[in-house]
Amino acid sequence: MTTVHEPTATTAELSVWPASTTESPHGDLSVGGVPLAEIADRFGTPVYVLDEAEVRDRCRTYRNAFPDAQVLYAAKAFLCRAMAHWMAEEGLGLDVCSAGELELAVTTGFPAERIVLHGNAKSPRDLETALRLGVGRIVIDSPSEIARLAAAVGPDGHQKVMVRVVPGISAGGHEKIRTGTEDQKFGLSIADGYAQHAIARILDQPQLELTGLHCHLGSQITSVKPYLVAVRRLVGLMSRLYEQHGLVLPELDLGGGHGIAYRPGEDALDLTALARRVRVELADACATAGLPVPRLIIEPGRAIVGPAGIALYRVLSVKHTGDRVFVAVDGGMSDNPRPALYGVRYAPRLVGRRSTAPPARVTVVGRHCEAGDVLAARAGLPADVRPGDLLAVPVAGAYHLSMASGYNLVGRPPVTAVRDGTARLLVRRESLEDIRGRDVGL
């Protein structure tokens, strides 16, 4: 009797999965040495899985690519106490945009001086918390923040600040995540002079120390060119500030937005090329302007945690409507709003069993009462996909749970970490008791 082995996943199919991913003969995938089906059975579904080694490896890749730069993890991508701990151990700083993110990090033990606070509309609590905890930098995003911050610091206080400027560059994977242009809410424009005016006001506040310029062009940028243009424009502004005020700024923050692939074959930003060409562009621009080269700061978020995460869902129903097949799962837009917000596409995969059925194009939908609750349109899954099956969605580490909602009161999923054959719980599932406990009126 001849044993016929079913084909396993190709290297290309697993290219967007963590490097530790392996496939067993019976069709299950393991990440960090732990079978995904085992995680689903142990913790229930939906459940998110983070490969700790993948996160740490990506931190080290950034530090090696930018050895002279300060690398800040953009906490908005996803933050929990374990993530803050990993970032601290790997030598990264943090970029936060609220008192909540800031306090979670500091109370976990993250050094406040390695944290930068930014945001287009910082609340009084945000600023008070930042000053109380001793945050390293505060990024000023509007003129009104200058007087508010100076008053909060007090005449005898001291706070290092940066100014977020708008370089007038359109870059990013979707119009809703392009933040370097003139027609959005972030930053102060170089072109109309608002940035220069704000900087002059900051220089009149002795308790505020201006350390550099900050910009963020957008998200899911896969080309190096926009960053090079940003370097030229920001160094141009630095040159004018030197001529007008004799000001030499020691820091230049290019933000993040480094694009990653969500499906096999998609483009991603070439980090090695980015580091090499930005370094050359910055040195050349500063030499031309007669300025010393400032220390570079970058803020990757998605590029560190996105590819390290997997979302696991259980199939609840399969429905044939006309020529379309809808595969409904037990999660959806409450734990991943990105498809509804930006129309992004994923490559879900059947795990836990081997199927010999031919592939079919299906629409993976969530359980919520919205027609737009679609997790993956025209996804390729076996034609015999059925209720009870387990689906895994790779590249699920960023902007899923950080943007999760309480829609339909289904509760947010738990987060687990895998490493060296062991899975552990990082964030528990939100329960009905949690939801009910917040509801104090009747």
Side-chain angles (χ1 to χ4, degrees):
M1 179 176 172
T2 302
T3 301
V4 178
H5 293 285
E6 297 296 334
T8 58
T10 66
T11 301
E13 289 173 337
L14 295 180
S15 63
V16 295
W17 289 75
S20 68
T21 305
T22 59
E23 186 179 25
S24 70
H26 62 271
D28 198 11
L29 290 186
S30 293
V31 176
V34 183
L36 294 179
E38 178 183 306
I39 294 174
D41 290 340
R42 177 180 168 189
F43 297 101
T45 57
V47 59
Y48 280 78
V49 184
L50 282 180
D51 184 336
E52 179 182 345
E54 181 81 14
V55 171
R56 290 180 181 273
D57 286 346
R58 288 176 174 272
C59 292
R60 294 166 191 171
T61 297
Y62 266 96
R63 292 195 65 193
N64 291 335
F66 294 91
D68 301 321
Q70 183 178 16
V71 182
L72 308 177
Y73 170 65
K76 63 179 181 176
F78 173 72
L79 185 66
C80 66
R81 291 193 300 163
M83 277 295 295
H85 181 65
W86 299 344
M87 295 305 107
E89 287 193 335
E90 296 301 331
L92 272 64
L94 278 184
D95 160 37
V96 303
C97 54
S98 73
E101 291 178 349
L102 175 57
E103 291 206 61
L104 179 67
V106 173
T107 55
T108 301
F110 198 95
E113 64 273 13
R114 282 163 52 187
I115 300 178
V116 172
L117 171 71
H118 77 93
N120 72 295
K122 302 176 192 70
S123 71
R125 178 173 172 250
D126 292 335
L127 295 179
E128 184 277 328
T129 303
L131 297 176
R132 173 172 52 84
L133 296 178
V135 73
R137 305 284 188 277
I138 295 177
V139 180
I140 290 174
D141 198 282
S142 65
S144 62
E145 285 184 2
I146 300 170
R148 288 173 53 211
L149 181 57
V153 171
D156 300 322
H158 178 264
Q159 177 61 53
K160 292 181 178 181
V161 300
M162 305 184 81
V163 172
R164 179 164 178 171
V165 301
V166 179
I169 299 168
S170 179
H174 190 280
E175 63 178 10
K176 291 183 180 179
I177 51 176
R178 294 173 187 159
T179 56
T181 58
E182 306 285 345
D183 57 350
Q184 45 72 47
K185 68 178 184 175
F186 293 101
L188 295 156
S189 173
I190 297 176
D192 63 13
Y194 278 106
Q196 296 91 313
H197 178 67
I199 289 168
R201 289 180 58 187
I202 293 170
L203 297 178
D204 286 338
Q205 304 289 342
Q207 63 270 59
L208 302 183
E209 178 188 349
L210 182 63
T211 66
L213 304 179
H214 178 290
C215 77
H216 182 70
L217 305 181
S219 294
Q220 275 299 86
I221 301 170
T222 57
S223 169
V224 172
K225 184 177 179 180
Y227 295 101
L228 305 182
V229 177
V231 167
R232 290 195 295 270
R233 293 185 182 177
L234 266 64
V235 172
L237 175 57
M238 293 173 72
S239 178
R240 292 193 292 275
L241 294 174
Y242 177 71
E243 294 171 358
Q244 295 168 5
H245 306 285
L247 181 65
V248 177
L249 295 175
E251 297 176 335
L252 180 63
D253 192 329
L254 286 182
H258 305 160
I260 61 175
Y262 279 88
R263 296 183 298 163
E266 290 184 346
D267 291 334
L269 183 65
D270 185 333
L271 186 59
T272 302
L274 175 71
R276 181 184 69 252
R277 295 181 64 186
V278 163
R279 188 180 299 114
V280 171
E281 190 70 35
L282 184 57
D284 289 349
C286 288
T288 300
L291 294 172
V293 177
R295 186 186 189 192
L296 187 66
I297 301 172
I298 56 169
E299 301 173 351
R302 181 197 316 263
I304 286 178
V305 73
I310 300 103
L312 297 178
Y313 301 103
R314 191 72 68 181
V315 175
L316 298 179
S317 69
V318 178
K319 183 187 299 183
H320 294 257
T321 303
D323 60 351
R324 300 186 68 181
V325 179
F326 292 95
V327 177
V329 297
D330 54 0
M333 65 190 301
S334 66
D335 68 84
N336 180 11
R338 297 185 67 249
L341 289 174
Y342 312 132
V344 297
R345 299 181 66 184
Y346 293 89
R349 179 183 173 85
L350 176 68
V351 295
R353 72 172 177 92
R354 171 78 62 197
S355 173
T356 59
R361 289 296 173 187
V362 304
T363 300
V364 180
V365 298
R367 58 171 293 176
H368 298 285
C369 297
E370 296 286 340
D373 183 18
V374 175
L375 285 173
R378 293 189 55 76
L381 290 174
D384 65 348
V385 62
R386 54 184 180 255
D389 277 342
L390 187 64
L391 299 186
V393 179
V395 202
Y399 301 107
H400 285 213
L401 284 180
S402 66
M403 299 176 73
S405 72
Y407 191 40
N408 292 156
L409 301 186
V410 300
R412 286 169 289 187
V415 182
T416 64
V418 293
R419 185 176 184 180
D420 299 331
T422 300
R424 69 186 191 278
L425 189 65
L426 300 184
V427 182
R428 66 170 174 80
R429 187 181 304 279
E430 186 177 32
S431 68
L432 178 58
E433 287 70 28
D434 294 324
I435 296 169
R436 195 164 51 220
R438 295 181 64 241
D439 190 339
V440 297
L442 188 63

